[in-house]
Every structure is written in C-alpha cells, then in structure tokens.
Amino acid sequence: LAAYLADFRRLLEDYGLTGIMYGHFGAGCMRIRITYDLRSADGRNTYRKFTRAAAELVVRHGGSLSGEHGDGRARSELLSVMYSPGMLAAFAAYRRLWDRAGVLNPGTITDPDPIDAHLALEGVPEREWRTHFELRPVDAAAAGADPWVHAVQACIGVGRCRSDSAGVMCPSFKATGDEKDSTRGRARVLQDMVRGARTIDEGWKSEDVREVLDLCLACKACSNDCPAGVDMATYKSEFFSHYYEGRLRPMSHFSLGWLPRWLKLTTLISPLVNVVLSSPLGKVVAATGGLTTRRAMPKFASRKMLRDALAPYRSPSRPADAVLFIDSFTKGFRPEVAGAAARVMESTGRQVGCETDACCGLTWISTGQLDTAKKMMARTVAKLDDGSNAPIVVIEPSCAAALKKDGPELPGTEAAERVAGRTQSFAEAVTGWVGGGWKPPAVPTAVMVQTHCHEYSTFGAMVQRKALAALGVANVTEATGCCGVAGNFGFEANHYDVSMKVAEQALAPALAGTPEGTPVLADGFSCAMQVKHLDPGRRSLHLAELLDPQAAQRKEGQP
C-alpha cells in the first residue's frame, strides 16, 4: 500500500491534480477526492487520461479495479486493463445468455459506455446567473465557473443529510422521510435547473424548484454538517428572491418578513395589540397574515419596557469597549433579556454600549426579500463599523449568524468583513469571558439546552456546550436538532404540521425528560416560542438571564 500511494501521489503531480485521501486505508480500498475540472473539454481530457493511467498503476501493484460498489459506469470501460480479452469475451457471452434484449443495466461491464459519458458537470449551458449573495468558490476547480452553478453543484451525493440520528441537518427530511426534502434532493433539483433539464427549464421561475425548497427550514445546519458545505438556506433565499420578482408573495412574507417594521408600531400600542391577538379576532388577524391559528402569538413589548431595561447603558457619552447588539426580536418581545445581557457584560468589567437602532435584515433574508435585506444590512454595517475593535455581542443567535455570515455575502464589502470579524454570539462571548478570568455567579448543576441551528452552523457545533462547561454546569441535556419554528417557518399556516414533526425529533423528548425545576435554556426567540408551545407551564431562559447578577442577588435576598 505504501509503495502504491507514493506512486499515486507522483501520478497526481504529473497531471497537475490534487487528491485528498481518506477512508479504508486498512483494507486498501482507497477513497480519494481529486480536483478534476469536468466542466471544460481540457479538464475532461485530463480526467480520461489520468483515470486510465491510475487504473494501470493499480494493476501493476496487484490491485483490483472492482471496488465494494461494483464497476458501473465509472470503471467498466477500464476492465480491459485488468482482465484479458478472453475473460471479457466470456463476460459478454454469459450476459447474452440471460439478457438477450440487452435491457438489464446497459452500458456497464460489457459493451460499456465511455467513462466520460453522462458527466453531470458537462454541457451546462453558459449563462450568467445574477445573484444577490456573493457566492465565493473555495477551490481551484471552480475557476471560470459561474458562482451560482458552482454552489449548487457542490453536493456530491454523500447523503449525510439523510441521517435520522446524529447532527442537526436535515430537519425536514427527518420529519417526512422523503428524499426530495433532503439537502441532497434539493441540490439535485437545483443542479437540473442550471443544466436546463426538461422538467425545470424555467430557471429562476421554476415551480418545481420552488416546491422542493418549500419545506427547507433555512436552519443552515447543512452548511456545517454537509461534508461538501452545501448551504441550502442561502440557496433558498436566493431562489425565492428571483422567483417572486413580479409575483404576489405569500402573506406571511409581509406579516413575518416585515416584522421589524411592524414592531415600530406595535411597541407604541402594545397593550391594544396584545388584547386583540388574545381575543377571537386574533385568529382572524393571524389567518389573514398567512399564520397558523394553532399557535399562540407572542406578547408584544412596549418601548418603555426596553428603555427601562437599558436605562443605565444608553448615555450617548458613555465610553464603550463592548457593544451589545439588541435585535428586533429582543426589542419587540423580550426586552428583559437585553437588560440581563447588559448586566452580565458589565459584570465582566467592560463598559457596555447598546446598539438598539439597527437591524440585520434577517426576516427579509429568510423570506428571500434580498433587495431590502441588502439595504438593511448595509445600513447596519455602516453603523457598526466605527473604527474600533470592540466585540459586538449579539443576543439573538440567528441575528449574530446573519452579521457573521450573510453580512459579508450580501454587501460584499470590507466593512461587512470587519463587522463579521467582531461579531460574537452571547454564548461564544461567555466562553471568552470565563477564559479571561471572569467569575460568573453560581450556576445550577444541571440544565437542558436547545441547540440553536444558526449558532451551531456559524459559530461551531459545540459553542453552547463549551459555554456551559466553562461556567461549570456539570450535567447538560442537549436537544441537538432544530426546534421546528426556525424563524417564520413554524408560524406559517402551511408549515405547522411539519414544524411539530421536527420538534418531535429532539426538543420534545428532551423537554419530557427534563425534571421540573431544571432550567431550560433557549437563546433563540423561535426556540423559546416552541418550548412554550410544547410545554405551556415551563418558561425557558436565555443564557443571559441564567447569569444575570441581578437575578442572583434576588435569590440571595440582596437589595
């Protein structure tokens, strides 16, 4: 094996290729990802020549071309390297005995198709796919390829998204068990779209593509869990932006997609809004807005509640070496979390400055209203890019992820990159504070935590566990999976049933197994709403509320 690998690496160098070797070394059944350029004629010619040379190398070392998955279209043409003409003739004669019409798996083993026939990356029509997101290829094989085409062709069919156990992706597949609802299934349809396949030759206006993307929760977990880094949430947002140009959008894209704008009004008249929504008229309002009537609407907060929560931190002359970003969800529904977060940050010895007048545009991103999203993000970036290196700590994990990942891909500016570099989720910041010597208040010995999908995908799969470990929480029950609400998804009338099936995968069992009195952490507002829906008698906490010095003082009876 060692001699073969040395020769194989030299062969790669001779053809100017790179190969990442992985898997089955002990059995000598090599898995190697090679940087073929199958989009161009020259690249396909290199592929053909190299593959034959590689087959000859295998045979010289006494190896076999027939792997554990058979020969198929990828190797049948090369069997002549390993078998004699007499043996190949025997294969063909035997096959004719049993398949005189030649209908069983044609093009393989005998009378094979060329190895470079039927390549998925060949023959994609050349056209410019204008995108809002700046999709950045990460490998040399993408040189010259349209960024959108390269992005949707990233999926190589590994199928990890079809797992029904480990990881967060793909919640819709776990709920339905249907291939079309997996990341791989959606990628295949998008690949057909850029190839101009007969069934979906409408491009951005394809109803087939819209339908297959409909149940994507935009959780972004695939961008972390998929070995090829497929980011279906971004692709969905991009497609919806083009699909709905000149078309009437679903009402939920206005009721939920424009939520930050509505909050400017509701915070002025929140008592009236809450009375209406809790009355029978509330169901009419919800149905008119495309929302499910089977969920209770959250209570809207007033502007006074936010002012009171942040009163000590709002002086314009107050010097700040850390910025607390107060997102629309926190302002509109749970301003008490903003106050708790500010107090925690201050307890670390930092001077806290609160940003309450900016929006990352998340709700417009998730509904594919990208013209507006870009404007919102650009204004926020301009406000946050103040020339300092002060960390930007974001209370809502999904908004933190938007500033971290979507910001650089939407405005595509150096300022957005600088802001992204300073952005931290609250849990990520906590780990850093403890590592820097901060002594938190006493914490419970056990908690249950709902993993936030966007935080998981953008800041690391273990970010919440690391924070809790740093704090000294010994017993952590983690619901590793999407909560099912995922922003607007679980509130939309046509998605309610799927959202509840998603919740049954991880969150519902974790809640059922968590004793009363054990804190339940749900940093994301959507996650908190799902916890309340599943268990109305239990209130979840943001990590900031768990660590709030004021709450600790109340427990100890201090003023």
Side-chain angles (χ1 to χ4, degrees), residues 324-408:
L324 181 63
F325 186 92
I326 317 294
D327 59 278
S328 297
F329 301 102
T330 301
K331 287 185 290 188
F333 299 107
R334 48 179 189 174
E336 67 279 3
V337 176
R343 287 189 290 272
V344 172
M345 288 178 67
E346 188 175 56
S347 73
T348 69
R350 287 161 177 80
Q351 291 293 324
V352 182
C354 295
E355 177 51 69
T356 62
D357 298 321
C359 176
C360 66
L362 173 67
T363 57
W364 284 276
I365 293 172
S366 61
T367 53
Q369 301 181 71
L370 296 182
D371 285 326
T372 302
K374 282 193 291 188
K375 293 175 184 176
M376 301 285 286
M377 184 68 79
R379 285 198 292 267
T380 295
V381 165
K383 182 169 286 191
L384 293 174
D385 188 37
D386 55 5
S388 77
N389 291 319
I392 302 168
V393 180
V394 187
I395 294 173
E396 171 62 42
S398 54
C399 295
L403 290 172
K404 189 80 171 181
K405 184 178 186 299
D406 297 324

Side-chain angles (χ1 to χ4, degrees), residues 8 28 44 73 98 113 119 164 212 274 419 457 478 514 520:
F8 184 80
R44 291 190 294 274
R73 298 181 187 276
W98 300 98
D113 292 333
L119 293 174
D164 59 1
V212 83
N274 291 332
V419 169
S457 64
E478 188 174 11
T514 300
V520 174

Side-chain angles (χ1 to χ4, degrees), residues 470-488:
L471 292 167
V473 180
N475 186 3
V476 177
T477 300
E478 188 174 11
T480 305
C482 182
C483 71
V485 172
N488 56 295

Side-chain angles (χ1 to χ4, degrees), residues 412-450:
T413 62
E414 291 182 3
E417 293 279 6
R418 288 192 294 269
V419 169
R422 294 165 53 201
T423 298
Q424 299 177 338
S425 72
F426 191 83
E428 182 186 37
V430 164
T431 303
W433 296 334
V434 175
W438 173 61
K439 301 294 185 183
V443 294
T445 57
V447 301
M448 191 218 109
V449 59
Q450 165 61 41

Side-chain angles (χ1 to χ4, degrees), residues 40 55 65 83 128 132 134 153 195 198 210 225-226 232 285 300-301 351 362 365 380 400 429 451 469 482 524 530 533:
S40 71
L65 301 182
Y83 292 112
E128 181 183 359
H132 297 277
E134 186 178 326
Q153 288 180 336
R195 280 200 298 266
R198 178 179 60 81
R210 187 213 64 78
D225 287 354
C226 171
M232 196 55 64
V285 173
F300 288 85
Q351 291 293 324
L362 173 67
I365 293 172
T380 295
T451 297
C482 182
Q530 187 75 305
H533 185 65

Side-chain angles (χ1 to χ4, degrees), residues 94-112:
Y94 186 81
R95 181 171 189 156
R96 283 194 298 271
L97 288 174
W98 300 98
D99 183 19
R100 293 181 181 278
V103 297
L104 300 179
N105 201 12
T108 64
I109 311 298
T110 64
D111 191 23

